Amino acid sequence: MACHDGVVPASVVAVHVSETHSFSKSSREAITLLEGQGVEGDAHCGTTVKHRSRVAADPSQPNLRQVHLIHGELFSELAAAGYEVSPGQLGENITTDGLDLLDLPVGTRLTIGTAVVALTGLRNPCQQINDFRPGLLKQVLRKGADGEVERLTGVMCVVARSGTVRPGDSVAVELPPEPHHRLTRV
């Protein structure tokens, strides 16, 4: 479905939750985002870090990884490279379509369904991706033409306004004031 200017709006493909620290997350009909905490019922929900290695380092760190988004276009790229991966299997909470998440600056606010999230940084892919599909890490963590490391496994956010997110919801982008800062790993 196209807008009046012929551009297809960004939207939600799927939403996912896992109550445990499993690598993949299960699809849901809807998820609830809780302001300042994350996805209700997800193992990473909370005001302080929940990622196990970060908890071990310093459990009092603020949780900048409350919600994980991946651009659904990544799955097509991976399929072209011979890897069959479906939404939710890389551990994201929200799979999007029609939005280049990786090029958005830090602090970008996304209105998704009735919720608002603010981008904090890039997900840093780790060895668990190779455990999931051998060789996959090289597809999502690589050097670009400019020699810079590219992290392709999505963005991390904090919840700025509670709300519900469902597949089919539109995604509206509000850029932060300039100067813009590129996303780095969090």
Side-chain angles (χ1 to χ4, degrees):
M1 168 169 39
C3 289
H4 67 282
D5 57 5
V7 176
V8 177
S11 63
V12 175
V13 173
V15 295
H16 320 279
V17 173
S18 178
E19 294 175 1
T20 67
H21 285 277
S22 59
F23 182 73
S24 298
K25 296 183 186 286
S26 302
S27 293
R28 298 282 193 264
E29 291 183 15
I31 57 174
T32 300
L33 275 55
L34 303 173
E35 186 173 326
Q37 295 184 55
V39 180
E40 184 177 53
D42 193 83
H44 292 95
C45 187
T47 57
T48 56
V49 292
K50 301 301 174 202
H51 193 273
R52 289 182 285 194
S53 65
R54 292 168 191 265
V55 168
D58 178 3
S60 67
Q61 294 176 74
N63 187 2
L64 302 179
R65 301 164 54 103
Q66 295 174 1
V67 184
H68 176 200
L69 282 72
I70 286 183
H71 53 293
E73 293 82 357
L74 176 63
F75 300 118
S76 298
E77 293 172 27
L78 295 176
Y83 294 89
E84 185 179 326
V85 182
S86 300
Q89 288 187 318
L90 294 181
E92 78 274 15
N93 299 110
I94 301 172
T95 311
T96 65
D97 182 59
L99 180 59
D100 191 350
L101 293 169
L102 303 178
D103 279 344
L104 295 172
V106 173
T108 298
R109 292 168 65 91
L110 302 176
T111 300
I112 311 173
T114 59
V116 176
V117 297
L119 275 62
T120 57
L122 297 170
R123 175 187 180 193
N124 190 36
C126 66
Q127 178 57 37
Q128 285 186 319
I129 289 177
N130 271 346
D131 296 342
F132 172 68
R133 295 276 192 282
L136 186 58
L137 185 59
K138 286 183 181 176
Q139 300 296 318
V140 297
L141 182 66
R142 61 187 186 208
K143 291 220 182 203
D146 59 2
E148 292 290 317
V149 173
E150 294 179 336
R151 292 171 174 83
L152 307 178
T153 52
V155 298
M156 306 307 289
C157 310
V158 294
V159 181
R161 184 180 75 209
S162 297
T164 303
V165 179
R166 293 179 172 81
D169 283 347
S170 64
V171 181
V173 178
E174 179 187 343
L175 296 175
E178 292 192 16
H180 292 162
H181 301 283
R182 289 181 56 92
L183 295 169
T184 58
R185 67 187 179 117
V186 292

